[in-house]
Amino acid sequence: DDAMKSRVDSFDGDMAALWDILETARNPAGLLSVKIKEMKDGTFIGQPKVDKDVKDMQRMYRLDDQATRKLAEALQNRPNTRKEDVEQLHRHLETSNKPSARVMMMLGKLRSGESLGEPDRRVAPGSYLDRMEQEKDREKERRLDRAAESRRPGGRDHDRGGRGRSRSRERRRSR
């Protein structure tokens, strides 16, 4: 209680972090005493700040909250290689159809300071690159449909009885 009273500015983030940590602990009481000692020593990191890069990744790859939070924490501890890590993460996640699971698997390497390595270049169905490719194909199909429709007799203006302009426009001109 005393440790949390001294951390008023980060109280909510600290509580959320403690809840996540203690939820999966084998011995929650023991781990809580370790975390309280870290708070008193000033080494406890509560809820990490999710910066713009991580938020962009969360939105682009549809990462869940837990993966986003843990990724932000891991990147926060690697300020020297952060830019390279973010680039490598993008390359890994854009081909993955389960990006949150991929992030969780890469956390060990990020925490130990290892390089993430090159990703598998095969694009998985449902991955970010696959969705972008499908969107491009749909847009191309829409453009082709519009072009074909405008070349047909009557074209896009067929529903207006062959007139090229709307009636209101023609009325204004005839007045």
Side-chain angles (χ1 to χ4, degrees), residues 57-64 67 87-106 118-132:
M57 279 191 247
Q58 181 182 27
R59 182 184 40 78
M60 282 176 67
Y61 306 117
R62 301 175 182 166
L63 298 176
D64 62 29
E87 289 171 9
Q88 283 186 325
L89 281 163
H90 276 293
R91 286 198 300 270
H92 277 273
L93 296 177
E94 68 188 8
T95 59
S96 175
N97 58 357
K98 295 182 180 175
S100 293
R102 176 75 65 96
V103 165
M104 298 305 264
M105 290 173 59
M106 291 188 293
E118 286 303 310
D120 185 5
R121 292 308 309 169
R122 291 177 297 187
V123 177
S127 67
Y128 176 77
L129 284 180
D130 184 52
R131 290 193 318 261
M132 293 301 109

Side-chain angles (χ1 to χ4, degrees), residues 104-161:
M104 298 305 264
M105 290 173 59
M106 291 188 293
L107 285 174
K109 285 186 176 184
L110 285 170
R111 288 177 180 146
S112 67
E114 294 177 46
S115 171
L116 296 176
E118 286 303 310
D120 185 5
R121 292 308 309 169
R122 291 177 297 187
V123 177
S127 67
Y128 176 77
L129 284 180
D130 184 52
R131 290 193 318 261
M132 293 301 109
E133 190 65 35
Q134 287 176 357
E135 184 61 35
K136 249 191 259 180
D137 291 347
R138 280 193 295 269
E139 185 59 37
K140 186 177 179 182
E141 199 173 295
R142 277 188 222 121
R143 273 189 262 119
L144 289 173
D145 287 349
R146 285 185 201 130
E149 191 176 296
S150 66
R151 285 192 299 266
R152 275 197 322 245
R156 289 174 50 176
D157 300 325
H158 181 70
D159 61 332
R160 296 185 191 140

Side-chain angles (χ1 to χ4, degrees), residues 21-29 31:
I21 293 166
L22 296 174
E23 196 171 40
T24 57
R26 282 186 292 193
N27 183 0
L31 187 56

